[in-house]
Amino acid sequence: MRAWAELLRLPALFTVPGDALAGAAALSARPDRRTLLAIDSSLCLYEAGMVLNDWADRTEDAAERPHRPLPSGRVAPAAAFTAACAFTAAGLVLANRAGRPALAVAAPLAATVWSYDLALKHTPAGPFAMAAARGLDLLLGAAATAGRTRAAVPSAALLATHTLAVTNLSRQETREGTPTAALAALATTGALTWWLQRRPTSAPPPDRRSPDGRLPAHRGRPGPGPRAGSGPRAGSGAALRLSASLTAALASAYATTTARSYLRASLNPSPPLTQQAVGAGIRGTVPLQAALIARSGAPAATATALLTAALAPVARRLARRVSIT
């Protein structure tokens, strides 16, 4: 069981639910059953990527990380590959249950995961593929919850930018590197922290999709704006101030989680400090997601953002027992 926990990188799972929740919030849609299906689909596809990553790297890990589950013999390669296939199939089935728009995003997400692990990881396109996968995961939540994704693209781009920086840094986890990747990640953290605290544009109209997941026939016409009291933008100035304060606090938590480790890795780009920086970057995904949710001003954004942020200390505690990278 411990070998599988290491292979699946269980602490990293806590960085996944916030993707779908941020996607729903970007469209001012309340999380619902379809959002939960998107989260389940994301978890499956994420684990498919984790297992497939180690399966593809088992020869390299035998030399550089012999303690990992596959090179150490604690998990058989055939079992790992079978698990990756099963997780992928389950993720696509769950996305299909959330509706056709969700499946339309989950399919390229699954293809990106497999392409990264099997072909792109060690190429210049690798970090961009990983960033695209995280961005698509956020769009999956938007597509499942509201049947559309356009308004969620800016949030997906911010999350993808963070992932690009962390993935680029992770490429020197097992060797002596240069300060460049850590400095780039540090600069990215600063830019995203600043951007999060900018005043967002007006919210998109609320979800108008019918319970069966189909869009109404009049979808070509502009929908009505948010109902009075449906979110911070439609409410009082106090609600707006609460949203801004929470966003600032979460943005600060994001910067605090990542910046110190990035700085240390830039001053001494050794494998141990780089691995710590990568772990901090992965954990930093959670407060970033929470800040995106709070910034959206969506219905129930405050509660959803706080719930998402609460996943960070759980992941940190579990990471003390099982490596997150």
Side-chain angles (χ1 to χ4, degrees):
M1 291 297 294
R2 181 174 181 83
W4 278 97
E6 292 177 17
L7 184 63
L8 297 173
R9 293 172 179 79
L10 291 185
L13 273 183
F14 293 92
T15 71
V16 177
D19 288 350
L21 294 172
L27 275 74
S28 287
R30 289 183 182 274
D32 57 15
R33 181 186 64 86
R34 298 188 300 267
T35 314
L36 182 59
L37 286 169
I39 291 174
D40 291 340
S41 175
S42 297
L43 290 170
C44 288
L45 294 177
Y46 189 87
E47 289 295 29
M50 291 294 100
V51 178
L52 191 63
N53 175 79
D54 279 24
W55 181 86
D57 284 353
R58 61 193 186 280
T59 301
E60 177 183 329
D61 285 346
E64 298 179 347
R65 297 178 177 179
H67 61 280
R68 296 291 300 153
L70 289 179
S72 67
R74 290 177 292 152
V75 175
F81 187 79
T82 301
C85 294
F87 276 125
T88 302
L92 294 175
V93 169
L94 288 165
N96 185 55
R97 290 190 61 187
R100 270 191 250 177
L103 182 60
V105 177
L109 171 56
T112 302
V113 168
W114 279 72
S115 297
Y116 172 80
D117 284 333
L118 298 183
L120 301 177
K121 185 193 315 184
H122 301 295
T123 72
F128 295 95
M130 180 64 78
R134 184 63 85 162
L136 284 169
D137 202 36
L138 187 147
L139 296 180
L140 174 58
T145 308
R148 57 189 188 275
T149 60
R150 184 174 180 179
V153 170
S155 293
L158 293 178
L159 189 59
T161 300
H162 166 75
T163 305
L164 177 64
V166 176
T167 306
N168 192 51
L169 179 60
S170 72
R171 305 188 108 186
Q172 53 187 51
E173 278 187 286
T174 59
R175 57 182 173 81
E176 196 72 26
T178 66
T180 305
L183 287 173
L186 184 61
T188 299
T189 293
L192 292 182
T193 301
W194 170 80
W195 184 270
L196 285 168
Q197 297 179 75
R198 293 184 62 195
R199 185 179 180 86
T201 56
S202 59
D207 183 19
R208 308 295 297 173
R209 192 168 67 171
S210 60
D212 64 359
R214 294 177 296 179
L215 294 173
H218 61 277
R219 63 181 178 179
R221 299 201 303 268
R227 295 174 297 173
S230 65
R233 293 183 184 84
S236 65
L240 284 170
R241 289 193 294 272
L242 175 61
S243 176
S245 298
L246 180 58
T247 301
L250 292 169
S252 177
Y254 163 62
T256 301
T257 302
T258 58
R260 182 180 297 179
S261 293
Y262 290 162
L263 181 59
R264 287 174 177 170
S266 67
L267 296 174
N268 180 11
S270 61
L273 290 182
T274 299
Q275 289 170 16
Q276 291 178 18
V278 172
I282 294 173
R283 293 193 304 273
T285 303
V286 177
L288 174 58
Q289 294 161 336
L292 289 171
I293 295 169
R295 182 178 183 271
S296 71
T302 298
T304 305
L306 291 174
L307 178 63
T308 301
L311 297 175
V314 180
R316 187 179 184 88
R317 177 172 295 184
L318 186 57
R320 295 171 183 167
R321 303 181 63 181
V322 179
S323 175
I324 201 170
T325 64

